[in-house]
Amino acid sequence: MLTEAAAEMLDWHGSGMSVMEMSHRGKEFTSIIGQAEADLRELLAVPSDYRILFMQGGALAENAIVPMNLLGNRHEADYVVTGAWSIKSQKEARKYCSVNIAASSEADGFRAIPPQDTWRLSKNPAYVHICTNETIHGVEYFWTPDLKSAGLPDTPLVADVSSHILSRPMDVSKFDVMYGGAQKNIGPAGLTLVIVREALLGRALPVCPSAFDWKTVAEAHSMYNTPPTYAIYIAGLVFRWIKGQGGLAAIEQRNKAKAETLYRCLDESDFYRTQVAPACRSRMNVPFFLADERLNEPFLDGARERGLLQLKGHKLVGGMRASIYNAMPLAGVQALVDYLREFERSHG
Ligand code: PMP
């Protein structure tokens, strides 16, 4: 896919232009964004009453854009806190409304997702926000909250899906808003994806910048302001690549095999440990620790020598973290597993 992008970088499909040089309103780029949107809609089976928006500002900007678009005349929103990213989301929302933390796994060190029957939802929140894959803590939802059964049938469910969207099929109709930065499974940083139920458009607070008003962006087909054209083009190639792999069901099988291979290796040994409860272990981000943390640096040095890169854990958690997004093949995970065993043999 990157080879294809490289080959057409200077001249896209004989147009005599790089995608970077095209007017975003010209027929070439209009066809690129149209195809990208159609392919994404097909991949995720996005229902026809949802809009797909290509935006900017990353997931962190959406932390402000979500309340600005959904509060309407309400003053409270509910957040479920399961790791560093949902902490950030609720903190930003506090600039715009009062926040009820319906549940938090912080006291438990973010090792598990609080079951829905323990959530203390407020009576009439503007929305309920979750982060379905906590990139830093390695915690993933494998179930979807059901606000109807919680007595909130009209309350929008909002999910930050940044770090696991397109890793498996997801039932979009069970959410009202999904958003994420593109830089994990979609494409280059600089592009933000929002999938929003159409009925929710048009509620933005007057203070909401026009470029961040989902209705304005939807009406302009993601071209209210100049979109990140090259990032959208690359995302379109990624969508096509996923389709060529057999779609999200096939991608899920690969991701399952990768995650199982890695967690099995970590579980088999006392030399390494993991903290997240098995039912919530992320298939994308695998934090793990060496039982003897004095070996962290030698471990990372040896890994680097073998081309196993970016394994140092996030500073909030420490230890190691293997991020095994869609682009990582099973062979890459196998190489890590071989190294984990080898390092244990030589240092255990
Ligand atoms: N949410 C999640 C789950 C993330 O993984 C990240 C980035 N790693 C963010 C939010 C922040 O995204 P951005 O840097 O694109 O604003």
Side-chain angles (χ1 to χ4, degrees), residues 91 198 241 277 279 293 334:
K91 197 169 163 205
E198 199 152 26
W241 173 78
E293 299 245 295
Q334 197 55 58

Side-chain angles (χ1 to χ4, degrees), residues 37-38 40-42 44-54 70 144-145 148 153 155-159 165 170-179 193-201 214 218-219 221-222:
E37 186 179 331
L40 179 62
R41 194 173 280 279
E42 184 186 329
L44 268 176
V46 178
S48 57
D49 59 335
Y50 282 68
R51 297 298 301 263
I52 293 174
L53 311 179
F54 295 112
L70 291 182
T144 310
K148 281 187 195 66
T155 304
L157 178 64
V158 179
I165 188 170
M170 286 177 95
D171 186 347
V172 175
S173 72
K174 290 188 172 165
F175 297 86
D176 297 282
V177 180
M178 295 166 119
Y179 69 85
L193 183 69
V194 176
I195 303 175
V196 53
R197 194 187 286 280
E198 199 152 26
L200 293 173
L201 302 178
W214 291 332
E219 280 173 356
H221 298 280
S222 301

Side-chain angles (χ1 to χ4, degrees), residues 57-61 63 85 89 131 133-136 160-163 179-184 191-192 325:
L60 290 188
N63 286 342
W85 292 109
S89 297
C131 175
N133 187 63
E134 289 280 0
T135 323
I136 293 174
D160 174 355
V161 296
S162 295
S163 52
Y179 69 85
Q183 61 270 28
K184 271 68 178 186
L191 169 65
T192 315
Y325 298 116

Side-chain angles (χ1 to χ4, degrees), residues 144-271:
T144 310
D146 175 10
L147 299 183
K148 281 187 195 66
S149 73
L152 297 173
D154 300 321
T155 304
L157 178 64
V158 179
D160 174 355
V161 296
S162 295
S163 52
H164 73 158
I165 188 170
L166 300 185
S167 69
R168 56 177 161 101
M170 286 177 95
D171 186 347
V172 175
S173 72
K174 290 188 172 165
F175 297 86
D176 297 282
V177 180
M178 295 166 119
Y179 69 85
Q183 61 270 28
K184 271 68 178 186
N185 284 333
I186 296 174
L191 169 65
T192 315
L193 183 69
V194 176
I195 303 175
V196 53
R197 194 187 286 280
E198 199 152 26
L200 293 173
L201 302 178
R203 300 184 181 186
L205 301 178
V207 72
C208 180
S210 307
F212 289 162
D213 178 338
W214 291 332
K215 182 167 193 263
T216 305
V217 178
E219 280 173 356
H221 298 280
S222 301
M223 302 224 199
Y224 175 73
N225 58 342
T226 310
T229 51
Y230 201 76
I232 291 170
Y233 154 71
I234 297 283
L237 293 183
V238 173
F239 301 152
R240 216 173 65 205
W241 173 78
I242 294 176
K243 280 173 69 177
Q245 298 290 307
L248 293 183
I251 290 282
E252 176 174 38
Q253 290 316 311
R254 275 178 37 166
N255 284 329
K256 260 186 169 168
K258 283 154 51 184
E260 279 165 16
T261 303
L262 182 50
Y263 283 116
R264 194 181 317 118
C265 168
L266 295 167
D267 286 344
E268 275 167 7
S269 144
D270 293 332
F271 189 79

